[in-house]
Amino acid sequence: AAEHPLDERVAGQYLLALHRAGRTADALAHYRRHSARLADRLGIDPGAPLRELHQRLLAADPALAGAPARPARRVPRQLPAAPVHFTGRDAELAALTAAVHRFPDGQLFVDLRGFSPDSEPMDPAVAVRGFLDTLGVEPGRVPVGLRDRVDLFRRLLAGRRVLVVLDNAADAAQVAPLLPADDSCTVVTTSRNRLSDLVTGHGARHLPLDVLSEDEAATLLTARLGDARVRAEPGAVAELVRLCGGFPLALGIVAARGRTEPHLPLAALAAELRELGLDALDDDPTAGLPTVLSWSRRALDAAHARAFALLGIAPGPDVGLPTAANLLGLPAERTGALLRGLEDASLLTRDARGRYRMHDLVRRYAADTARHGLTGAERDAALRRAVDFLVRTAVTADRLLAPYRTPIHLDDLVPGTRPEPLADQGAALAWLTAEHPSLLAAQRLAAERGWHRRVWQVAWALQTFHIRRAHLQDGVATWRAALTAAEHLDDPGARIGAHRSLGVFCANTGAHDEAVGHLREAVALAERTGDRAALSHAHHALARAWETRGDDRRALEHAELALGLFRELGNRDFEVDALNSVGWFEARLGEFERARAHCGAALELAREDGDEGMQAASSDSLGYIAHHSGRHAEALEHYGRATALFRANGDTHYLADCLDRLGRPHVVLGQRERARAVWREALELYLAQHREEDAERVRRQLAELGG
């Protein structure tokens, strides 16, 4: 292009290359330079092919992308690895095999935590959200409500042959929303309850699991201890089988003890077991389990026994090595060795992600051990270290995701706490995703113990993650807890922030009245305390809340107040956002000249700052203003720039709105096919995002075009 500056074919190829490299703005700039050069040197305009390409770039024609329109369908593979020494259950496995078929479209698995000792059973909305993530649904397209999530889940599985395993269910009500809509899939549910409602209401087949038979129990011990050792002491093996009563967990513990002490006669194991009274398991396999576990714990040295007890009270359903190290107050290497020892003793398991968890019954016993075997001061110190580690690392992650946020004050670290360093945004998102359940559990723990500032800090540290990953209900829950905690703090800023953030999440989830109520309270508190920065953010949030209510006049009033305050405080980042907000609401009210001035100023500041997100938003606003002012060609250029930037940033939510608006100037200019193309894409995005009212509006627009 540089060597042949007047060659229009080369210019067109260069425009297309820039566009496909994600540099659409540069492509449009090159077109303007090329047009000016032709006019200056030859006195002509670009030819029809190049002009047509320019218009397609402005319209963000998806056909120019040069890539498949849809990604390949994801095949989930979530089943845990099979136990190495799995034994018995032949009849049950045969019944399952006869009832089901192969599953070429994958497997889904979730632990519903129906009988977890440290938390309530998993909300079906959370379980469905996990399935949608696994099936490749982008976070921004996950619906908020349970019904919409279930509808999407069932549509994704329609006609697919997928195995869905729902483990550890509490009751039928927890399972029912997770059932696919047709019989192409098969669901296997496990529970300690019979779940009779699934049988009567959904046609499920009940497959009860009794204790292992004597032969199966003996086979289990043979598989784990070795054939030679078992044949050498048949009487001792028979007594071990009898004392364990066919309970698989008890047999596993016995086998683990035998493996870790290969020179100990099995008769000695049987004698010790007989003295501890494990035969109580014959009638009720759960009644005597503490005895079995106490026997297993007594075989541990002091360090392993302490680790076992503390892991029983750790926040969250599982624990990573760094969290465990902070809980125990030990280096990671020593902690890893202790965890491996507990794993060898069948008291702990490690999943494919490297995270450790206990069987629910084992964990309940470990928690009892901690309460009775450790001092209150030792338990308190361990939990403070774990919570401090989670909070501090979460704050670090949030700073990587949102460096523009005003930092919060953090107390000195609890002695022995070592937060995890995170390298970049990718590491921050991965850590927050893995530790999200533990952070929620840490907030609950902090609330129970009256650690009010930690409760508030967890909500603050998770805010960006909750918005980016569309965990809106979790955002509401964490900020409700934070608001309750803030009432106990001598910190007006904490109360203001809790009301403001809770208002934002309520507005995003459709709780408009509650949102406005919290935001008004944030304004009132900020005014009483003279906190101008908090007041500016509260008015800015109120503007968005009133927009969701459809009251643009009130939204403009609060946006103007926010703009004035941001300018007074010299807050450049938020001044740009507020400028565009003021212009947007002015445009919505028909005040186009004032709107153009405000949005144009926002665009210039965003360009100076290199803020592509605000450049996209301001260009979108300017496109709306130009179209409604009768400048339809100018609107196409603004909208074209906005759609290119929204695409580059992966912002499909606002891309859909911008495409919807882009079609209107195309219609006015008689470009009906281009209007039809952008509206079809907008419709696809709206449907994917479950924005039914917007989708219906675009359907009507397409119908009016005859397509």
Side-chain angles (χ1 to χ4, degrees), residues 556-567:
L556 175 59
E557 292 170 2
H558 288 286
E560 289 174 333
L561 288 170
L563 176 59
L565 288 165
F566 286 136
R567 283 175 167 168

Side-chain angles (χ1 to χ4, degrees), residues 131-272:
F131 285 161
L132 294 178
D133 289 343
T134 300
L135 292 168
V137 178
E138 296 179 5
R141 297 185 176 187
V142 175
V144 174
L146 172 61
R147 180 177 296 178
D148 290 336
R149 288 184 180 181
V150 170
D151 288 344
L152 176 58
F153 171 64
R154 289 171 175 168
R155 287 201 302 273
L156 289 173
L157 291 191
R160 299 176 69 175
R161 288 161 59 189
V162 174
L163 174 65
V164 182
V165 178
L166 309 176
D167 192 32
N168 198 10
D171 51 36
Q174 187 187 27
V175 171
L178 308 179
L179 301 176
D182 57 34
D183 60 2
S184 64
C185 298
T186 293
V187 180
V188 175
T189 301
T190 71
S191 177
R192 295 178 199 166
N193 290 333
R194 289 184 178 273
L195 306 185
S196 300
D197 288 348
L198 288 183
V199 177
T200 58
H202 297 276
R205 278 170 278 186
H206 186 227
L207 185 64
L209 288 178
D210 202 348
V211 295
L212 295 176
S213 68
E214 290 187 2
D215 288 343
E216 290 172 331
T219 302
L220 185 152
L221 291 178
T222 301
R224 298 193 180 190
L225 296 175
D227 184 70
R229 195 173 180 189
V230 168
R231 282 191 288 106
E233 297 185 75
V237 171
E239 186 172 9
L240 288 171
V241 168
R242 180 180 61 81
L243 291 173
C244 288
F247 188 51
L249 180 57
L251 288 162
I253 294 171
V254 168
R257 175 73 187 281
R259 287 202 313 273
T260 56
E261 298 189 56
H263 303 296
L264 183 69
L266 297 183
L269 283 178
E272 188 174 2

Side-chain angles (χ1 to χ4, degrees), residues 283-307:
D283 295 327
D284 181 358
T286 64
L289 184 60
T291 304
V292 183
L293 295 173
S294 69
W295 173 81
S296 183
R297 183 180 61 83
R298 285 173 55 189
L300 302 174
D301 60 29
H304 282 88
R306 174 178 175 271

Side-chain angles (χ1 to χ4, degrees), residues 13 86 149 167 197 341 463 578 585 587 593 628 646 659 679 688:
Q13 292 174 326
F86 184 84
R149 288 184 180 181
D167 192 32
D197 288 348
Q463 175 151 320
F585 295 126
E593 290 308 313
H628 286 83
F646 284 136
L659 288 168
W679 278 344

